[in-house]
Amino acid sequence: MSIASYIDHTILKQTTTTEDVTKVCKEALEYSFAAVCIPPIYVKEAVKQLLGSTVKVATVIGFPFGYTYTEAKLEEARIALGEGAHELDMVMNVTALKNKDYQQLEEEVKAILAISKPQEAALKVIIESGVLTDEEIVRCCEIYRQFDIDFLKTSTGYAEKGATIEAVQLIRAHLPSSIQIKASGGIRSYEFAKSLVDAGATRLGCSASVAIAKGENAGIGNY
């Protein structure tokens, strides 16, 4: 299978323009990427540009820090789904995990699933593995394996540390096969992308998607 089919072609920088989104959508169509992942404000535009294609439109919820109120995340999700988003990449409440408030995490994901599942939208929960201990990563797996989420995602790309092969392997070892893994953050070369897939990732969040699809190295960057 081509590496391109694993990629969520991503642009989430604060300065993203409509022109940027158009470029990402055109590249996604050209290279047959799995999805585009764009800021919520551009969901409607991306849906329009990708209409009739197999490329999914993903957007982010509670991004990038995850510590917004559950009610705020729910409203973000409702709007995104109403504008046609196929996939939601939600940042979990990392502060709740650090405080060992596991009930808060369970209530949050349960509430999001209650609105995403009826619309058959995929839910990817971002745990920000780069700021967690191995024990905390395993605890996340234990929490989210109880729910019908589609993916556990490593990172936002905004923390000091993004995806690692070790984190993907650890997550894969503690999740049922029904839950997939999305690796993101710092994926800038074909070799690293392939290593993450070999470790168990079935989606990759990348902004260097075109270079990766061509088997190149794109240098330094978040996504």
Side-chain angles (χ1 to χ4, degrees), residues 120-199:
E120 299 183 348
L123 178 61
K124 309 181 194 119
V125 177
I126 308 172
I127 66 170
E128 201 66 276
S129 59
V131 300
L132 306 182
T133 64
D134 284 356
E135 291 76 16
E136 287 170 333
I137 292 172
V138 171
R139 189 71 183 108
C140 286
C141 294
E142 291 170 349
I143 291 167
Y144 292 112
R145 66 181 294 150
Q146 305 173 76
F147 299 95
D148 191 22
I149 67 169
D150 298 275
F151 291 82
L152 205 64
K153 178 176 171 181
T154 63
S155 325
T156 61
Y158 281 80
E160 56 267 30
K161 185 178 180 182
T164 65
I165 293 165
E166 293 77 17
V168 171
Q169 290 172 332
L170 183 62
I171 292 167
R172 184 69 281 159
H174 290 86
L175 283 182
S177 58
S178 58
I179 299 177
Q180 300 179 68
I181 298 170
K182 177 176 172 180
S184 62
I187 306 172
R188 308 291 295 176
S189 71
Y190 172 84
E191 290 76 16
F192 187 37
K194 179 67 165 54
S195 295
L196 290 165
V197 170
D198 291 343

Coordinates of all heavy atoms in Angstrom, one line a residue, residues 120-199:
E120 N -21.9 9.1 12.0 CA -20.9 8.2 11.4 C -19.5 9.0 11.1 O -18.8 8.7 10.1 CB -21.4 7.6 10.1 CG -22.6 6.7 10.4 CD -23.1 6.0 9.1 OE1 -22.6 6.3 8.0 OE2 -23.9 5.1 9.2
A121 N -19.2 9.9 12.0 CA -18.0 10.6 11.9 C -16.9 9.9 12.8 O -17.2 9.5 13.9 CB -18.1 12.1 12.4
A122 N -15.7 9.8 12.2 CA -14.6 9.2 13.0 C -14.1 10.1 14.1 O -14.0 11.3 13.9 CB -13.5 8.8 12.0
L123 N -13.8 9.5 15.2 CA -13.3 10.3 16.3 C -11.8 9.8 16.6 O -11.6 8.7 16.9 CB -14.1 10.1 17.6 CG -13.6 10.9 18.8 CD1 -13.5 12.4 18.6 CD2 -14.4 10.6 20.1
K124 N -10.9 10.8 16.6 CA -9.5 10.5 16.9 C -9.2 11.3 18.2 O -9.4 12.5 18.2 CB -8.6 11.0 15.8 CG -8.9 10.5 14.4 CD -7.9 11.0 13.4 CE -8.4 10.8 12.0 NZ -8.5 12.1 11.2
V125 N -8.8 10.6 19.3 CA -8.5 11.3 20.5 C -7.0 11.5 20.6 O -6.2 10.6 20.6 CB -9.0 10.4 21.7 CG1 -8.6 11.1 23.0 CG2 -10.5 10.2 21.7
I126 N -6.6 12.8 20.7 CA -5.2 13.2 20.8 C -4.8 13.2 22.3 O -5.3 13.9 23.1 CB -5.0 14.5 20.2 CG1 -5.5 14.6 18.8 CG2 -3.5 14.9 20.2 CD1 -5.5 16.0 18.2
I127 N -3.8 12.4 22.6 CA -3.4 12.3 24.0 C -2.1 13.1 24.3 O -1.8 13.3 25.5 CB -3.1 10.8 24.4 CG1 -1.9 10.2 23.7 CG2 -4.4 10.0 24.3 CD1 -1.5 8.8 24.2
E128 N -1.5 13.6 23.3 CA -0.2 14.4 23.4 C 0.9 13.6 24.2 O 1.3 13.9 25.3 CB -0.5 15.7 24.2 CG 0.6 16.8 23.9 CD 0.6 17.3 22.5 OE1 1.3 16.6 21.7 OE2 0.0 18.3 22.2
S129 N 1.2 12.5 23.5 CA 2.2 11.5 24.1 C 3.5 12.1 24.5 O 4.1 11.6 25.5 CB 2.4 10.3 23.2 OG 2.9 10.8 21.9
G130 N 3.9 13.1 23.8 CA 5.3 13.7 24.1 C 5.4 14.4 25.5 O 6.5 14.6 25.9
V131 N 4.2 14.7 26.1 CA 4.3 15.3 27.5 C 3.8 14.3 28.5 O 3.6 14.7 29.7 CB 3.5 16.6 27.5 CG1 4.0 17.6 26.5 CG2 2.0 16.4 27.3
L132 N 3.7 13.1 28.2 CA 3.2 12.1 29.1 C 4.3 11.1 29.4 O 5.2 10.8 28.6 CB 2.0 11.3 28.5 CG 0.8 12.1 28.1 CD1 -0.3 11.2 27.5 CD2 0.3 13.0 29.2
T133 N 4.2 10.5 30.6 CA 5.1 9.3 30.9 C 4.6 8.1 30.3 O 3.4 8.0 29.8 CB 5.1 9.1 32.4 OG1 3.8 8.7 32.9 CG2 5.6 10.3 33.2
D134 N 5.4 7.0 30.2 CA 4.9 5.8 29.7 C 3.7 5.3 30.4 O 2.7 4.8 29.9 CB 6.0 4.7 29.7 CG 7.0 4.9 28.6 OD1 6.9 5.8 27.8 OD2 8.0 4.1 28.6
E135 N 3.7 5.5 31.8 CA 2.6 5.0 32.6 C 1.3 5.8 32.3 O 0.2 5.2 32.2 CB 2.9 5.2 34.1 CG 4.0 4.3 34.6 CD 5.4 4.7 34.2 OE1 5.6 5.8 33.7 OE2 6.3 3.8 34.3
E136 N 1.5 7.1 32.0 CA 0.3 7.9 31.6 C -0.2 7.5 30.2 O -1.5 7.5 30.0 CB 0.6 9.4 31.6 CG 0.8 9.9 33.1 CD 1.4 11.3 33.1 OE1 2.1 11.7 32.2 OE2 1.1 12.0 34.1
I137 N 0.7 7.2 29.3 CA 0.2 6.7 28.0 C -0.6 5.4 28.1 O -1.6 5.2 27.5 CB 1.4 6.5 27.0 CG1 2.1 7.8 26.7 CG2 1.0 5.8 25.8 CD1 3.4 7.7 25.9
V138 N -0.1 4.5 28.9 CA -0.8 3.2 29.2 C -2.1 3.5 29.8 O -3.1 2.9 29.5 CB 0.1 2.3 30.0 CG1 -0.8 1.0 30.4 CG2 1.3 1.8 29.2
R139 N -2.2 4.4 30.8 CA -3.5 4.8 31.4 C -4.5 5.3 30.4 O -5.7 5.0 30.5 CB -3.2 5.8 32.5 CG -4.4 6.0 33.4 CD -4.7 4.8 34.3 NE -5.9 5.0 35.1 CZ -7.0 4.3 34.9 NH1 -7.1 3.4 33.9 NH2 -8.1 4.5 35.7
C140 N -4.0 6.1 29.5 CA -4.9 6.6 28.4 C -5.4 5.4 27.6 O -6.6 5.4 27.3 CB -4.1 7.5 27.5 SG -3.7 9.1 28.2
C141 N -4.6 4.5 27.3 CA -5.1 3.3 26.5 C -6.1 2.6 27.3 O -7.1 2.1 26.8 CB -3.9 2.4 26.2 SG -2.7 3.1 25.1
E142 N -5.9 2.4 28.6 CA -6.9 1.7 29.5 C -8.2 2.5 29.5 O -9.3 1.8 29.6 CB -6.3 1.6 30.9 CG -5.1 0.6 31.0 CD -4.4 0.7 32.3 OE1 -4.7 1.6 33.1 OE2 -3.6 -0.2 32.5
I143 N -8.2 3.8 29.5 CA -9.4 4.6 29.5 C -10.1 4.5 28.2 O -11.3 4.1 28.1 CB -9.1 6.1 29.9 CG1 -8.6 6.2 31.3 CG2 -10.3 6.9 29.6 CD1 -8.0 7.5 31.6
Y144 N -9.4 4.8 27.1 CA -10.1 4.9 25.8 C -10.4 3.6 25.2 O -11.3 3.5 24.3 CB -9.3 5.8 24.9 CG -9.2 7.2 25.4 CD1 -8.1 7.8 25.9 CD2 -10.4 8.0 25.4 CE1 -8.1 9.1 26.4 CE2 -10.4 9.3 25.9 CZ -9.3 9.8 26.4 OH -9.3 11.1 26.9
R145 N -9.8 2.5 25.6 CA -10.1 1.2 25.0 C -11.6 0.8 25.4 O -12.2 -0.1 24.8 CB -9.1 0.1 25.5 CG -9.1 -0.2 26.9 CD -8.1 -1.3 27.2 NE -8.4 -2.5 26.6 CZ -7.5 -3.4 26.2 NH1 -6.2 -3.2 26.3 NH2 -7.9 -4.5 25.7
Q146 N -12.1 1.4 26.4 CA -13.5 1.2 26.8 C -14.6 1.8 25.9 O -15.7 1.4 26.0 CB -13.8 1.7 28.2 CG -12.8 1.3 29.3 CD -13.1 2.1 30.6 OE1 -14.0 1.8 31.3 NE2 -12.2 3.1 30.9
F147 N -14.1 2.6 25.0 CA -15.1 3.4 24.2 C -14.9 3.1 22.7 O -13.8 2.7 22.3 CB -14.9 4.9 24.5 CG -15.2 5.3 25.9 CD1 -14.1 5.4 26.8 CD2 -16.5 5.5 26.3 CE1 -14.4 5.7 28.1 CE2 -16.8 5.8 27.6 CZ -15.7 5.9 28.6
D148 N -15.9 3.4 22.0 CA -15.9 3.1 20.5 C -15.3 4.2 19.7 O -15.9 4.7 18.8 CB -17.3 2.8 20.1 CG -17.4 2.3 18.7 OD1 -16.4 1.7 18.2 OD2 -18.5 2.4 18.0
I149 N -14.0 4.6 20.1 CA -13.3 5.6 19.3 C -12.7 4.9 18.1 O -12.5 3.7 18.1 CB -12.3 6.4 20.2 CG1 -11.1 5.4 20.6 CG2 -12.9 7.0 21.4 CD1 -9.9 6.2 21.2
D150 N -12.3 5.7 17.1 CA -11.7 5.2 15.9 C -10.2 5.1 16.0 O -9.6 4.2 15.5 CB -12.2 6.0 14.7 CG -13.7 5.9 14.6 OD1 -14.2 4.9 14.0 OD2 -14.4 6.7 15.1
F151 N -9.6 6.2 16.6 CA -8.2 6.3 16.6 C -7.8 6.9 18.0 O -8.4 7.8 18.5 CB -7.6 7.3 15.6 CG -7.7 6.8 14.1 CD1 -8.9 7.0 13.4 CD2 -6.6 6.3 13.5 CE1 -9.0 6.6 12.1 CE2 -6.7 5.9 12.2 CZ -7.9 6.0 11.5
L152 N -6.6 6.5 18.4 CA -5.9 7.2 19.5 C -4.7 7.9 18.7 O -4.0 7.2 17.9 CB -5.3 6.3 20.5 CG -5.1 6.9 21.9 CD1 -6.4 7.4 22.5 CD2 -4.4 5.9 22.9
K153 N -4.6 9.2 18.9 CA -3.6 9.9 18.2 C -2.5 10.4 19.1 O -2.8 10.9 20.2 CB -4.3 11.1 17.5 CG -3.4 12.1 16.7 CD -4.2 13.1 16.0 CE -3.4 14.2 15.4 NZ -4.2 15.3 14.8
T154 N -1.2 10.4 18.6 CA -0.1 10.7 19.5 C -0.1 12.1 20.0 O 0.1 12.4 21.1 CB 1.2 10.3 18.9 OG1 1.4 11.1 17.7 CG2 1.3 8.8 18.6
S155 N -0.2 13.0 19.0 CA 0.3 14.4 19.3 C -0.5 15.5 18.5 O -1.1 15.2 17.4 CB 1.8 14.5 18.9 OG 2.5 13.4 19.2
T156 N -0.4 16.7 18.9 CA -1.0 17.8 18.2 C 0.1 18.4 17.2 O -0.3 19.1 16.2 CB -1.3 19.0 19.2 OG1 -0.1 19.4 19.8 CG2 -2.4 18.6 20.2
G157 N 1.3 18.2 17.5 CA 2.4 18.8 16.7 C 2.8 20.1 17.3 O 3.7 20.8 16.8
Y158 N 2.2 20.5 18.4 CA 2.5 21.8 19.1 C 3.3 21.6 20.4 O 3.7 22.6 21.0 CB 1.2 22.6 19.3 CG 0.8 23.3 18.1 CD1 0.1 22.6 17.1 CD2 1.1 24.6 17.9 CE1 -0.4 23.2 15.9 CE2 0.7 25.3 16.7 CZ 0.0 24.6 15.7 OH -0.4 25.2 14.6
A159 N 3.4 20.4 20.9 CA 4.2 20.2 22.1 C 5.7 20.1 21.7 O 6.0 20.0 20.5 CB 3.7 18.9 22.8
E160 N 6.5 20.1 22.7 CA 8.0 20.0 22.5 C 8.4 18.7 21.9 O 9.5 18.6 21.3 CB 8.7 20.3 23.8 CG 8.4 19.3 24.9 CD 7.3 19.9 25.9 OE1 6.4 20.6 25.4 OE2 7.4 19.5 27.1
K161 N 7.6 17.7 22.0 CA 7.9 16.4 21.4 C 6.7 15.8 20.7 O 5.6 15.8 21.2 CB 8.4 15.4 22.5 CG 8.9 14.1 22.1 CD 9.3 13.3 23.3 CE 9.9 11.9 23.0 NZ 10.3 11.2 24.2
G162 N 6.9 15.3 19.5 CA 5.8 14.8 18.7 C 5.8 13.3 18.7 O 6.1 12.6 19.7
A163 N 5.5 12.7 17.6 CA 5.4 11.2 17.5 C 6.7 10.5 17.6 O 7.7 11.1 17.2 CB 4.7 10.8 16.2
T164 N 6.7 9.4 18.3 CA 7.9 8.6 18.3 C 7.5 7.1 18.1 O 6.3 6.7 18.3 CB 8.6 8.6 19.7 OG1 7.7 8.0 20.7 CG2 8.9 10.0 20.1
I165 N 8.5 6.4 17.6 CA 8.2 4.9 17.3 C 7.9 4.2 18.6 O 7.0 3.4 18.6 CB 9.4 4.3 16.6 CG1 9.6 4.9 15.2 CG2 9.3 2.8 16.5 CD1 11.0 4.6 14.6
E166 N 8.6 4.6 19.7 CA 8.4 3.9 21.0 C 6.9 4.2 21.5 O 6.3 3.2 22.0 CB 9.4 4.4 22.0 CG 10.8 4.1 21.7 CD 11.5 4.9 20.6 OE1 10.9 6.0 20.2 OE2 12.5 4.4 20.0
A167 N 6.4 5.4 21.3 CA 5.1 5.7 21.8 C 4.0 4.9 21.0 O 3.1 4.4 21.6 CB 4.8 7.2 21.7
V168 N 4.2 4.8 19.7 CA 3.3 4.1 18.8 C 3.3 2.6 19.2 O 2.2 2.0 19.4 CB 3.6 4.3 17.3 CG1 2.8 3.3 16.5 CG2 3.4 5.7 16.9
Q169 N 4.5 2.1 19.5 CA 4.6 0.7 19.9 C 3.9 0.4 21.2 O 3.2 -0.6 21.4 CB 6.0 0.2 19.9 CG 6.7 0.1 18.6 CD 8.2 -0.1 18.7 OE1 8.9 0.3 19.7 NE2 8.8 -0.8 17.7
L170 N 4.1 1.3 22.1 CA 3.5 1.2 23.5 C 2.0 1.3 23.4 O 1.3 0.5 24.0 CB 4.0 2.3 24.4 CG 3.6 2.3 25.8 CD1 4.0 1.0 26.5 CD2 4.1 3.6 26.6
I171 N 1.5 2.2 22.6 CA 0.0 2.4 22.4 C -0.6 1.1 21.8 O -1.6 0.6 22.2 CB -0.3 3.6 21.6 CG1 0.1 4.9 22.4 CG2 -1.8 3.7 21.2 CD1 0.1 6.2 21.5
R172 N 0.1 0.6 20.7 CA -0.4 -0.5 20.0 C -0.5 -1.8 20.9 O -1.4 -2.6 20.8 CB 0.5 -0.8 18.8 CG 0.1 -2.0 17.9 CD -1.2 -1.6 17.1 NE -2.4 -1.8 17.9 CZ -3.6 -1.2 17.6 NH1 -3.7 -0.4 16.6 NH2 -4.7 -1.3 18.4
A173 N 0.5 -1.9 21.8 CA 0.5 -3.0 22.7 C -0.6 -3.0 23.8 O -0.9 -4.0 24.4 CB 1.9 -3.1 23.5
H174 N -1.2 -1.8 24.0 CA -2.3 -1.7 25.0 C -3.6 -1.3 24.5 O -4.5 -0.9 25.3 CB -1.8 -0.7 26.0 CG -0.6 -1.1 26.9 ND1 0.7 -1.0 26.5 CD2 -0.6 -1.8 28.0 CE1 1.5 -1.6 27.4 NE2 0.7 -2.1 28.3
L175 N -3.8 -1.4 23.2 CA -5.2 -1.1 22.6 C -5.7 -2.3 21.9 O -4.9 -3.1 21.3 CB -5.1 0.0 21.6 CG -5.0 1.5 22.1 CD1 -5.0 2.4 20.9 CD2 -6.1 1.8 23.1
P176 N -7.0 -2.5 21.8 CA -7.5 -3.6 21.0 C -7.3 -3.2 19.5 O -7.2 -2.0 19.1 CB -9.0 -3.6 21.3 CG -9.3 -2.2 21.8 CD -8.0 -1.8 22.5
S177 N -7.4 -4.2 18.6 CA -7.1 -4.0 17.2 C -8.2 -3.1 16.6 O -8.0 -2.5 15.5 CB -7.0 -5.3 16.5 OG -8.2 -6.1 16.7
S178 N -9.4 -3.0 17.3 CA -10.5 -2.2 16.7 C -10.2 -0.7 16.8 O -10.8 0.1 16.1 CB -11.8 -2.5 17.5 OG -11.6 -2.2 18.9
I179 N -9.2 -0.3 17.6 CA -8.9 1.1 17.7 C -7.5 1.3 17.0 O -6.5 0.7 17.3 CB -8.7 1.6 19.2 CG1 -10.1 1.4 19.9 CG2 -8.3 3.0 19.2 CD1 -10.1 1.8 21.4
Q180 N -7.5 2.2 16.0 CA -6.4 2.4 15.2 C -5.5 3.5 15.9 O -5.9 4.2 16.8 CB -6.8 2.9 13.8 CG -7.6 1.8 13.1 CD -8.0 2.3 11.7 OE1 -7.1 2.4 10.8 NE2 -9.3 2.5 11.5
I181 N -4.3 3.7 15.3 CA -3.4 4.7 15.8 C -3.0 5.7 14.8 O -2.7 5.4 13.6 CB -2.1 4.1 16.3 CG1 -2.4 3.1 17.5 CG2 -1.1 5.1 16.8 CD1 -1.2 2.3 17.9
K182 N -3.1 7.0 15.1 CA -2.7 8.1 14.2 C -1.4 8.7 14.9 O -1.5 9.2 16.0 CB -3.7 9.1 14.0 CG -3.2 10.3 13.1 CD -4.3 11.3 12.8 CE -3.8 12.5 12.1 NZ -4.8 13.6 11.8
A183 N -0.3 8.7 14.2 CA 0.9 9.3 14.6 C 1.0 10.7 14.0 O 0.7 10.8 12.8 CB 2.1 8.5 14.3
S184 N 1.4 11.7 14.7 CA 1.6 13.0 14.2 C 2.6 13.8 15.0 O 2.9 13.5 16.1 CB 0.2 13.8 14.1 OG -0.3 13.9 15.5
G185 N 3.1 14.9 14.4 CA 4.1 15.7 15.0 C 5.5 15.3 14.7 O 6.0 14.3 15.1
G186 N 6.1 16.2 13.8 CA 7.5 16.0 13.5 C 7.8 14.9 12.4 O 9.0 14.4 12.3
I187 N 6.8 14.5 11.7 CA 7.0 13.5 10.6 C 7.4 14.2 9.4 O 6.6 14.8 8.7 CB 5.7 12.7 10.4 CG1 5.3 12.1 11.7 CG2 6.0 11.6 9.4 CD1 3.9 11.4 11.6
R188 N 8.7 14.2 9.0 CA 9.2 15.0 7.9 C 9.9 14.2 6.9 O 10.4 14.8 5.9 CB 10.2 16.1 8.5 CG 9.7 16.9 9.6 CD 8.6 17.8 9.2 NE 9.0 18.8 8.3 CZ 8.3 19.7 7.7 NH1 7.0 19.7 7.9 NH2 8.8 20.6 6.8
S189 N 10.0 12.9 7.0 CA 10.7 12.1 6.0 C 9.9 10.8 5.7 O 9.2 10.3 6.6 CB 12.1 11.7 6.4 OG 12.1 10.8 7.5
Y190 N 10.1 10.2 4.6 CA 9.5 9.0 4.2 C 10.0 7.9 5.2 O 9.2 7.0 5.6 CB 9.9 8.6 2.8 CG 9.4 7.2 2.4 CD1 8.1 7.0 2.0 CD2 10.3 6.1 2.5 CE1 7.7 5.7 1.7 CE2 9.9 4.8 2.3 CZ 8.6 4.6 1.8 OH 8.1 3.3 1.6
E191 N 11.3 7.9 5.5 CA 11.8 6.8 6.3 C 11.1 6.8 7.7 O 10.8 5.7 8.2 CB 13.3 7.0 6.5 CG 14.1 6.7 5.3 CD 14.1 7.8 4.2 OE1 13.6 9.0 4.6 OE2 14.4 7.6 3.1
F192 N 11.0 8.0 8.3 CA 10.3 8.0 9.6 C 8.8 7.7 9.5 O 8.3 6.9 10.4 CB 10.5 9.4 10.2 CG 10.0 9.6 11.6 CD1 10.1 8.5 12.6 CD2 9.3 10.7 12.0 CE1 9.7 8.7 13.9 CE2 8.9 10.9 13.3 CZ 9.1 9.8 14.3
A193 N 8.2 8.1 8.5 CA 6.8 7.8 8.3 C 6.6 6.3 8.1 O 5.7 5.7 8.8 CB 6.3 8.5 7.0
K194 N 7.4 5.7 7.4 CA 7.4 4.2 7.2 C 7.6 3.5 8.5 O 7.0 2.5 8.8 CB 8.4 3.8 6.1 CG 8.5 2.3 5.8 CD 7.2 1.8 5.2 CE 7.4 0.4 4.5 NZ 7.9 -0.6 5.5
S195 N 8.6 4.0 9.3 CA 8.9 3.3 10.6 C 7.7 3.4 11.5 O 7.4 2.5 12.3 CB 10.1 4.0 11.2 OG 11.2 3.8 10.5
L196 N 6.9 4.5 11.5 CA 5.8 4.7 12.3 C 4.7 3.7 11.9 O 4.0 3.1 12.7 CB 5.3 6.1 12.3 CG 6.2 7.1 13.0 CD1 5.8 8.5 12.6 CD2 6.1 7.0 14.5
V197 N 4.5 3.5 10.6 CA 3.5 2.6 10.1 C 3.9 1.1 10.5 O 3.1 0.4 10.9 CB 3.4 2.7 8.5 CG1 2.6 1.5 8.0 CG2 2.8 4.0 8.1
D198 N 5.2 0.8 10.4 CA 5.7 -0.5 10.8 C 5.5 -0.7 12.3 O 5.3 -1.9 12.7 CB 7.2 -0.6 10.4 CG 7.5 -0.7 8.9 OD1 6.5 -1.0 8.2 OD2 8.6 -0.5 8.5
A199 N 5.5 0.4 13.0 CA 5.3 0.2 14.5 C 3.8 0.1 14.9 O 3.5 -0.3 16.0 CB 5.9 1.5 15.2

